[in-house]
Amino acid sequence: MANYEKVEVTTDLLILGGGMAACGAAVEAAYWAKKNGVKVTLVDKAAMDRSGAVAMGLSAINQYVGLHEGKNSVKDYVDYVRMDLMGIIREDLVANIARHVDSSVHLFEKWGLPIWKDAEGKYVHEGRWQLMINGESYKVIVAEAAKNALEEAGGEYYERVFITEPLLDGDRIAGAIGFSTRENKAYVFRAKAVICTMGGAVHIFKPRSTGEGLGRAWYPPWNSGSSAYFTLRAGAEMTSQEVRFIPVRFKDAYGPVGAWFLLFKSQATNSEGGSYMVERRDELENWKPYGLVKPIPANLRNWLGMLDVMEGKGPIFMRTEEAIQKIANEAGDEKAAKKKLKELEAEAWEDFLDMTISQAVLWAASNVEPEKKSSEIAAAEPYFIGSHSGASGAWVSGPADLQTDETKSEYFWGYSHMSTVKGLFCAGDASGASSHKFSSGSHAEGRICGKSAVKYIVENTSLPEIDAGQVDEMLGAQFKPLDIYEEFKGASTDPEVNPHYIKPKMFMFRLQKIMDEYVGGVSAQFSTNKAHLEKAMELLTFLKEDSDKLAAADLHELLRCWENVQRLWQAEAHTRTILFREETRWPGYYRRTDFPTMDDENWHVFANCRWIPEKNEWEMIKRPMLHVYPKAQEHELIGG
């Protein structure tokens, strides 16, 4: 048996994760905790300073509504998100985040984040909703504020602790178990409420990067579906599990394209010099009304480029040299143009150095000068996120004040952003159907959860019961991969290949092959059908059986084992839901070749799922897509 020290921690509020949503939850919960005598504990798999999707830095804040400027309203943002997600969003959740997000951005600036200003002292916008920042230390700044808030409130945080399973007391969350990735310690956290903010999932599908680039991805490679696994295992209802996100990025190093499209006004063209956004405009008629709005939904922009690639007109190029030269020429005479050209070149490199250093390295290694040469862009492999342009996550309650008579019975059950499991709150990538919150909105949603969870604790004062025997059994299962390796490592000359177990890397390769080939990955041109999906379910069943034979030589591999179990559950939730939704609604994210069109009559709904712990069965559920607007009044939204 694995030898470990058991550490038991009792708290009131347990925050799981260390990214932007977790930091927002910590700051807000700490404020209300001090007023109500509540203890707050945060647990992070990594170290908060460089944890989560913003870990490496960011060159823009992608959600800023600017309500005080009077140019945009909350309704404007809800309309934008609804159109981009082809009509399927929780308007109450999106509105709730949108009305609070500006205050998070103002906090970032107060804490020391440099936000670009123009000559008049106004924020420099990359696009309507985006602000340019010098963001290499964005996460460090936000994490410092969270740690300070916890300390001032008498709370605590644990770093390098990986959470595996939820603890339950009937239909109520009771805490979580996990292990240290640095020491032989098992952790048992007992709490009255839990906020799940452990990120989305990457490396479920085979990535484009292989060989020496293996592991490189657009989304952080350490995000393994921890949030989805935790909420699924707790029995929470999940939503939008079919909505994977496929970003188009600079090829091979995943450099951002937003600044090029929005700030530099660059064009993307096929290998023949044609603009697919112009030449394939007629295709947008097939996706009305969403194909006819501005901006065109992200998945449809993807789709038009994919059609060019499938027709043999690839690769697709970002015409950086044309965009830079055009802006420079508009500066005036030759001297002014040269000066402007130098500024633009610096900004182009800084865009990568602030958030995707690997792209700057690739440019340098490839002798690319963006002012002279185009760079290839491509659709990445699929990712599962609730914060960016994806929507997968837990089905959570909306705020009371944004409900109509029609939505209240479907979208509200007592505490804002609480899942269908009592006391389990979700934010960031953990909450679904509230897309386009990005980093700032995730922080704002974390703050919403922080306040809501403290309110729940004040009104539900009892500490949940946990079964000590069951906990010990769970801890044994947690460390089982270490025991399997020790027992059978001598059965083969190479410990990586063994008839008695499977190592986490090989397990991940099997999962990625299944998902890539049968569930619409890169090699399948993001297309799938019922026969492929049913074959995927068959193979995932075999893989789930083999997960019981995962082996780990050390704590790092134990971490990798559990990451892959989490990926497997996210993969199954996705496959089941994409099979359930018999239509193609997001063609640039995936295409059902057997149902190639949108079916608003039958599928203008949420496709939800739930794993029922006591039965070990899955339930598929349709939930109605209901509108907060135009029934809700604008002043009600902004006043919250």
Side-chain angles (χ1 to χ4, degrees):
M1 291 286 290
N3 184 28
Y4 58 86
E5 175 189 350
K6 183 177 174 182
V7 180
E8 298 186 70
V9 179
T10 300
T11 187
D12 294 310
L13 176 58
L14 180 64
I15 301 172
L16 301 178
M20 292 295 289
C23 288
V27 166
E28 192 73 22
Y31 175 83
W32 297 104
K34 280 195 294 185
K35 292 178 177 293
N36 292 283
V38 169
K39 181 183 177 183
V40 181
T41 302
L42 183 147
V43 182
D44 188 10
K45 160 185 177 178
M48 266 198 286
D49 282 355
R50 293 290 183 181
S51 183
V54 182
M56 194 160 54
L58 212 57
S59 60
I61 288 174
N62 287 329
Q63 187 187 9
Y64 181 74
V65 181
L67 293 177
H68 75 289
E69 298 168 4
K71 294 180 180 178
N72 300 311
S73 68
V74 171
K75 182 180 183 301
D76 291 333
Y77 199 78
V78 173
D79 288 344
Y80 157 62
V81 178
R82 184 197 308 113
M83 288 300 166
D84 195 76
L85 266 292
M86 308 291 276
I88 308 298
I89 65 163
R90 281 281 300 278
E91 292 181 0
D92 57 332
L93 300 179
V94 174
N96 199 26
I97 295 166
R99 66 179 175 176
H100 291 105
V101 69
D102 291 358
S103 60
S104 270
V105 174
H106 298 153
L107 283 173
F108 301 157
E109 188 171 29
K110 176 184 175 182
W111 294 333
L113 178 68
I115 303 179
W116 290 17
K117 303 283 181 64
D118 62 17
E120 298 177 358
K122 296 179 179 178
Y123 290 147
V124 173
H125 282 259
E126 182 185 71
R128 182 177 181 182
W129 312 108
Q130 299 84 13
L131 301 180
M132 295 299 295
I133 63 175
N134 293 102
E136 189 282 329
S137 296
Y138 184 13
K139 186 62 204 318
V140 178
I141 291 165
V142 173
E144 181 183 35
K147 289 188 282 189
N148 288 342
L150 287 170
E151 185 177 348
E152 290 170 13
E156 59 188 346
Y157 63 91
Y158 293 80
E159 296 182 329
R160 307 294 181 188
V161 174
F162 184 82
I163 295 298
T164 54
E165 298 281 3
L167 294 175
L168 297 169
D169 179 5
D171 62 352
R172 182 183 177 187
I173 196 72
I177 65 165
F179 61 90
S180 168
T181 62
R182 295 292 187 271
E183 306 171 283
N184 291 325
K185 290 183 178 180
Y187 284 87
V188 180
F189 296 98
R190 191 178 176 194
K192 297 174 183 175
V194 174
I195 300 177
C196 178
T197 66
M198 292 183 286
V202 67
H203 290 323
I204 287 173
F205 283 81
K206 186 169 68 177
R208 285 188 180 272
S209 298
T210 57
E212 59 89 23
L214 182 66
R216 185 178 295 156
W218 166 74
Y219 197 61
W222 55 80
N223 275 18
S224 57
S226 301
S227 291
Y229 180 79
F230 190 88
T231 49
L232 276 167
R233 295 283 289 179
E237 186 171 331
M238 308 294 286
T239 189
S240 304
Q241 293 301 297
E242 78 278 31
V243 190
R244 83 286 265 285
F245 174 50
I246 296 174
V248 168
R249 293 295 180 263
F250 282 96
K251 190 169 179 290
D252 295 327
Y254 299 90
V257 298
W260 286 99
F261 280 130
L262 297 172
L263 191 65
F264 296 126
K265 309 300 181 187
S266 181
Q267 270 202 327
T269 67
N270 59 37
S271 59
E272 299 172 7
S275 172
Y276 54 85
M277 295 303 298
V278 175
E279 296 175 350
R280 294 193 179 274
R281 188 166 296 276
D282 289 349
E283 170 66 19
L284 298 175
E285 292 282 339
N286 296 325
W287 305 97
K288 291 188 295 187
Y290 313 110
L292 305 183
V293 299
K294 289 185 178 180
I296 297 167
N299 76 89
L300 292 181
R301 298 197 302 270
N302 285 8
W303 177 236
L304 299 189
M306 289 173 183
L307 289 172
D308 266 15
V309 171
M310 288 188 282
E311 209 171 271
K313 294 182 178 180
I316 305 296
F317 293 100
M318 180 74 78
R319 298 294 177 179
T320 58
E321 76 288 3
E322 293 178 3
I324 288 179
Q325 198 62 56
K326 182 181 178 182
I327 298 173
N329 291 341
E330 291 171 352
D333 58 26
E334 186 178 349
K335 184 177 180 181
K338 284 185 178 179
K339 182 181 178 183
K340 188 63 176 178
L341 189 66
K342 195 170 184 67
E343 289 175 6
L344 292 167
E345 182 190 359
E347 287 177 5
W349 284 89
E350 184 182 352
D351 188 37
F352 293 149
L353 292 171
D354 267 351
M355 59 187 293
T356 314
I357 297 168
S358 56
Q359 188 66 53
V361 173
L362 183 62
W363 262 5
S366 306
N367 293 330
V368 171
E369 297 175 75
E371 72 279 16
K372 296 180 181 179
K373 185 179 179 182
S374 299
S375 290
E376 190 179 348
I377 61 175
E381 62 278 356
Y383 305 106
F384 295 92
I385 48 178
S387 59
H388 201 283
S389 299
S392 61
W395 185 247
V396 301
S397 174
D401 67 316
L402 298 191
Q403 305 306 320
T404 67
D405 291 340
E406 186 182 25
T407 65
K408 192 172 291 184
S409 62
E410 292 287 347
Y411 295 170
F412 175 72
W413 47 90
Y415 297 92
S416 185
H417 292 250
M418 186 174 78
S419 73
T420 55
V421 174
K422 291 178 183 177
L424 176 56
F425 297 78
C426 301
D429 286 324
S431 71
S434 54
S435 182
H436 287 347
K437 50 201 171 200
F438 304 102
S439 62
S440 51
S442 292
H443 189 274
E445 190 176 30
R447 290 170 57 210
I448 292 166
C449 282
K451 183 178 181 180
S452 188
V454 172
K455 183 175 187 290
Y456 171 87
I457 290 165
V458 170
E459 295 175 355
N460 297 269
T461 57
S462 65
L463 191 65
E465 296 294 327
I466 58 174
D467 185 324
Q470 184 183 37
V471 169
D472 287 340
E473 187 178 319
M474 293 170 71
L475 291 179
Q478 178 177 266
F479 290 105
K480 184 179 177 181
L482 292 171
D483 296 334
I484 288 176
Y485 180 80
E486 283 302 313
E487 182 178 357
F488 295 111
K489 64 182 180 181
S492 59
T493 55
D494 182 353
E496 296 298 308
V497 181
N498 194 292
H500 298 284
Y501 59 67
I502 182 171
K503 291 297 252 347
K505 196 171 186 178
M506 293 302 107
F507 187 94
M508 184 180 72
F509 286 161
R510 275 179 61 186
L511 174 63
Q512 289 177 351
K513 180 176 173 60
I514 295 167
M515 299 301 289
D516 179 63
E517 294 179 4
Y518 296 105
V519 195
V522 171
S523 66
Q525 294 286 10
F526 310 109
S527 296
T528 186
N529 58 31
K530 183 180 180 181
H532 277 102
L533 293 166
E534 288 177 343
K535 184 65 177 179
M537 283 305 307
E538 179 187 352
L539 296 174
L540 288 173
T541 301
F542 296 156
L543 190 59
K544 182 175 276 191
E545 290 172 0
D546 285 347
S547 68
D548 198 45
K549 300 296 183 182
L550 275 163
D554 51 34
L555 288 174
H556 178 74
E557 280 200 335
L558 182 63
L559 166 76
R560 296 296 181 223
C561 287
W562 277 100
E563 284 179 336
N564 284 305
V565 170
Q566 292 172 345
R567 288 189 177 99
L568 175 61
W569 278 70
Q570 174 64 88
E572 183 173 356
H574 175 59
T575 305
R576 286 182 180 276
T577 311
I578 204 172
L579 184 58
F580 180 59
R581 181 183 280 275
E582 295 180 333
E583 68 160 355
T584 294
R585 183 165 290 266
W586 303 275
Y589 294 162
Y590 76 85
R591 182 169 178 257
R592 282 283 302 258
T593 56
D594 47 350
F595 296 98
T597 59
M598 193 164 57
D599 180 4
D600 261 345
E601 183 178 347
N602 297 300
W603 289 103
H604 190 73
V605 296
F606 295 98
N608 289 6
C609 68
R610 177 176 171 248
W611 179 71
I612 306 170
E614 57 271 22
K615 295 182 179 179
N616 191 23
E617 294 177 357
W618 289 78
E619 179 185 12
M620 306 307 298
I621 311 157
K622 279 187 180 183
R623 297 288 184 199
M625 167 51 224
L626 303 175
H627 297 282
V628 167
Y629 293 102
K631 295 179 181 178
Q633 297 299 309
E634 183 63 18
H635 71 270
E636 293 176 347
L637 293 171
I638 296 176

